[in-house]
């Protein structure tokens, strides 16, 4: 079934009301908190293990009521139900969108009994639960063999390094989660991630590796991505050369095939192409065209993670996603955290003219989370046409960016605090650090001996959202004895919106919950805007042109001559500079 035409959100009464509120809007977080002792409580919601405080957003009861009306008018809850039921809401590719099915509990378990449908989840003639869990079991069995050393390289040595070769969704999710869950990685195992076709990437990532203990996972949904296939060939070449040079294998096809069989596995929806590359389909893990690349870290694309953190860790990771899926499915819109966060983003983007959104994890292990979210949010919602092919009627897709705190504080927070742009910010922290270190000596001033460093860290998390919300008035600056001439430079306007997300610890489950939270925020915004958040036609033109231009860059005069004057001159310059 395809989708009905999207509504025009700008034609709704809610939109008109919000437009009215936004004109001359004078947010007053100081006043709102002063006059409402319950504001923090009113706007703080649980979602799985996450506590989400929305109270420092530029929102009032009236605004929220209208945003919720908008969500109802756009049918957010109904479309979510359609999505998880397997309707083809990816209309431009005529596909179901079923990443939520990747984390449905195994059939027959207690958790599965709560599901809708509890059993027999058939979409387009396929038993989805059965297929998903059969693949997961295959991934888990393989992961166990690598972890316990029963899967060895061609010379019989156990695997010590797993190198994931993929790009976009076949890289960003695995690398982000690997970094996030480092404390859960089995001792003696390491994962590395090669994505860029820049040869420096694979050169650096294979540097120092022992080919006899290295396993490559070629992760590509399509198995047709130039970067990934090029890197996979370079990896195979590296393996053959190194094994051959040390005399570990002989220089013949049979030995080379045997080496690939033990050192290469693949993850793809295109198992025929996997076989054509020389990887035994027995050593390939499948997934389905109903999973978008950027939604696939919880599929076999996460095989490097299942190896690193183990099947139990991966199950916990999936359970975290599922907890948020159930929150999204069953929680009324008024308390539904991803819906509320998505609606606030619409409020800032479409009514208060925000152009970007910053995500600031106060957790060093989440240092790749903003990069991960860039693909999730911008590849999903960076669209100018709606799912029926008509132009969008309002702005879409904010620019997502960020860095971990406190590093960002010493770099770009200046602009967030005192710049001219409105930048809504999500602050993320965990209560229990992986390494609860104490500063035994302190500094004799602010930091007392024995200070808990994580608390010191989180003091920044709490301080930043406070400073952004409440600012500092000129009178407060003067009261500190500041010279009048510099008072204006030291004033903080406040009323800079933040959301605080607090989790107990950075467990596999919590990482899954955080990812699903943002997936559903993206969904909510996409539904309001009427766009298909699950295709990515915008990346195709560049790929196509790169292939067309490649002969010119390689010195083909006729191909060079057919380029526009700027491209021609740039390539000519490149060729004249190239010396090696
Ligand atoms: O560049 C776009 C894209 O299609 C992403 O959506 C995807 O995650 C990435 O390329 C990699 O694709 P594949 O997994 O098919 O190699």
């Amino acid at each position: 079934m395809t989708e009905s035409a999207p509504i025009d959100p700008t034609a709704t009464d809610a939109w008109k009301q919000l437009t009215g509120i936004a004109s001359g809007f004078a947010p007053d977080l100081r006043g709102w908190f002063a006059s409402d002792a319950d504001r923090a409580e009113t706007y703080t919601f649980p979602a799985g293990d996450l506590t989400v405080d929305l109270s420092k957003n530029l929102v009032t009861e009236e605004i929220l009521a209208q945003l919720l009306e908008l969500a109802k008018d756009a049918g957010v809850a109904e479309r979510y139900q359609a999505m998880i039921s397997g309707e083809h809401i990816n209309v431009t590719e005529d596909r179901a969108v079923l990443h939520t099915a990747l984390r449905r509990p195994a059939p027959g378990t207690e958790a599965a009994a709560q599901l809708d449908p509890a059993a027999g989840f058939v979409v387009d003639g396929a038993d989805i639960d059965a297929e998903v869990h059969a693949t997961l079991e295959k991934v888990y069995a393989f992961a166990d063999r690598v972890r316990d050393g029963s899967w060895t390289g061609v010379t019989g040595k156990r695997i010590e390094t797993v190198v994931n070769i993929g790009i976009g969704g076949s890289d960003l999710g695995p690398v982000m989660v690997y970094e996030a869950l480092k404390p859960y990685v089995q001792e003696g195992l390491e994962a590395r991630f090669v994505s860029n076709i820049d040869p420096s990437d694979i050169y650096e990532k294979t540097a120092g590796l022992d080919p006899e203990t290295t396993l490559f996972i070629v992760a590509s949904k399509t198995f047709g991505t130039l970067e990934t296939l090029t890197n996979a060939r370079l990896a195979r070449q590296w393996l053959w050369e190194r094994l051959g040079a040390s005399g570990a294998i002989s220089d013949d096809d049979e030995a080379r095939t045997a080496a690939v069989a033990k050192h290469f596995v693949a993850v793809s929806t295109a198992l025929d192409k996997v076989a054509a590359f020389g990887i035994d389909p027995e050593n390939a893990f499948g997934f389905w065209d109903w999973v978008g690349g950027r939604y696939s870290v919880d599929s076999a694309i996460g095989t490097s993670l299942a190896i690193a953190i183990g099947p139990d860790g991966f199950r916990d990771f999936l359970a975290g996603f599922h907890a948020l899926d159930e929150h999204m499915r069953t929680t009324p819109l008024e308390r539904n955290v991803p819906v509320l966060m998505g609606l606030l983003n619409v409020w800032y983007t479409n009514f208060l003219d925000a152009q970007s959104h910053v995500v600031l994890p106060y957790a060093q292990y989440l240092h790749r989370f903003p990069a991960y979210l860039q693909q999730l949010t911008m590849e999903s919602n960076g669209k100018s046409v709606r799912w029926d092919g008509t132009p969008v009627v309002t702005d879409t897709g904010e620019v997502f960016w960020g860095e971990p705190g406190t590093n960002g504080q010493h770099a770009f927070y200046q602009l967030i605090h005192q710049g001219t742009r409105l930048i809504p910010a999500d602050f993320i922290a965990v209560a229990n650090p992986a390494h609860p270190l104490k500063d035994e000596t302190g500094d004799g001033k602010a930091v007392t001996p024995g200070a808990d460093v994580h608390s010191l860290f989180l003091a920044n998390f709490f301080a930043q959202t406070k400073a952004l919300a409440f600012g500092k008035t000129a009178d407060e600056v003067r009261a500190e004895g500041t010279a009048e001439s510099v008072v204006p430079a030291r004033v903080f306007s406040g009323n800079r919106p933040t959301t605080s997300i607090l989790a107990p610890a950075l467990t596999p489950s919590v990482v899954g919950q955080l990812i699903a939270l943002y997936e559903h925020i993206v969904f909510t915004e996409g539904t309001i805007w009427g766009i298909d958040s699950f295709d990515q036609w915008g990346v195709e033109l560049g790929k196509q042109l790169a292939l067309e231009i490649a002969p010119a860059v390689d010195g083909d005069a006729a191909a060079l001559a057919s380029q526009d004057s700027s491209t021609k001159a740039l390539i000519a310059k490149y060729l004249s500079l190239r010396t090696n």
Side-chain angles (χ1 to χ4, degrees), residues 83 86-90 93-104 121-124 126-133 135 221 269 286-293 295-296 298-299 534:
M83 179 179 87
E87 288 185 29
H88 285 203
I89 71 164
N90 177 354
E93 295 177 301
D94 191 17
R95 287 176 183 168
V97 176
L98 279 174
H99 45 281
T100 52
L102 296 168
R103 51 265 191 157
R104 279 167 59 93
F121 181 40
V122 174
V123 174
D124 300 333
D127 183 337
I128 301 294
D129 286 340
E131 289 190 9
V132 165
H133 285 278
T135 303
K221 178 176 168 181
T269 57
F287 64 118
W288 306 271
D289 69 2
W290 43 254
V291 190
Y295 295 88
S296 67
D298 44 345
S299 71
F534 305 101

Side-chain angles (χ1 to χ4, degrees), residues 49 55 78 92 103 163 223 273 318 405 420 429 434 446:
D49 296 323
S55 66
E78 293 77 8
T92 71
R103 51 265 191 157
V163 181
F223 224 78
K273 293 186 185 163
L318 297 184
T420 57

Side-chain angles (χ1 to χ4, degrees), residues 167-170 220-222 225 293 375 379 536 539 543:
I167 196 165
S170 301
S220 174
K221 178 176 168 181
T222 54
T225 304
Q375 187 196 18
E379 199 166 84
Q536 59 283 321
V539 295
K543 285 187 197 172

Side-chain angles (χ1 to χ4, degrees), residues 362-552:
Y362 278 66
Q364 184 59 30
Y365 284 122
L366 282 176
H367 70 106
R368 293 292 290 163
F369 194 48
Y372 172 81
L373 290 182
Q374 289 189 321
Q375 187 196 18
L376 177 64
T377 59
M378 298 202 273
E379 199 166 84
S380 294
N381 282 345
K383 311 280 165 70
S384 306
V385 291
R386 301 188 296 170
W387 65 64
D388 64 350
T390 59
V392 294
V393 291
T394 182
D395 274 336
T396 64
E398 318 92 300
V399 174
F400 271 75
W401 57 291
E403 277 288 322
T406 59
N407 296 1
Q409 288 176 209
H410 298 273
F412 52 77
Y413 278 36
Q414 165 65 38
L415 185 145
I416 304 177
H417 280 286
Q418 287 189 312
T420 57
R421 296 174 194 281
L422 176 71
I423 304 178
D426 296 349
F427 282 72
I428 304 171
V430 301
N432 295 289
H435 310 291
L437 303 181
K438 308 279 182 221
D439 182 352
E440 297 303 350
T441 52
D443 66 358
K445 290 178 281 183
V447 184
T448 52
D452 177 66
V453 181
H454 189 66
S455 295
L456 209 52
F457 180 33
L458 289 210
N460 284 275
F461 168 84
F462 298 117
Q464 288 296 326
T465 59
K466 191 169 171 165
L468 288 163
F470 306 123
K472 199 180 203 181
T473 64
D475 284 344
E476 286 166 345
V477 177
R478 278 187 200 105
E480 290 172 343
T482 308
E484 195 57 33
S485 60
V486 288
V487 166
R490 298 182 64 163
V491 166
F492 289 73
S493 68
N495 293 316
R496 300 190 178 232
T498 62
T499 292
S500 299
I501 302 171
L502 194 57
L506 201 57
T507 60
S509 169
V510 163
V511 174
Q513 292 176 44
L514 285 171
I515 298 173
L517 170 66
Y518 281 89
E519 286 177 352
H520 302 327
I521 291 170
V522 164
F523 174 86
T524 301
E525 296 186 65
T527 303
I528 304 281
W529 292 326
I531 56 183
D532 179 348
S533 304
F534 305 101
D535 63 11
Q536 59 283 321
W537 296 106
V539 295
E540 292 306 319
L541 180 60
K543 285 187 197 172
Q544 187 190 324
L545 290 184
L547 288 177
E548 275 172 37
I549 290 175

Side-chain angles (χ1 to χ4, degrees), residues 109-186:
T109 56
E110 209 176 297
Q114 314 300 319
L115 292 175
D116 176 26
F121 181 40
V122 174
V123 174
D124 300 333
D127 183 337
I128 301 294
D129 286 340
E131 289 190 9
V132 165
H133 285 278
T135 303
L136 278 176
E137 289 312 318
K138 190 175 168 190
V139 169
Y140 293 159
F142 178 71
D144 274 333
R145 291 187 66 197
V146 175
R147 287 166 66 82
D148 68 17
S150 56
W151 177 283
T152 64
V154 70
T155 59
K157 289 192 182 167
R158 69 185 290 161
I159 299 300
E160 292 172 1
T161 311
V162 173
V163 181
N164 187 82
I165 301 175
I167 196 165
S170 301
D171 167 73
L172 287 162
V175 71
M176 182 277 281
V177 178
Y178 177 75
E179 291 294 321
L181 296 176
K182 274 254 173 81
Y184 291 81
V185 174
Q186 175 171 297

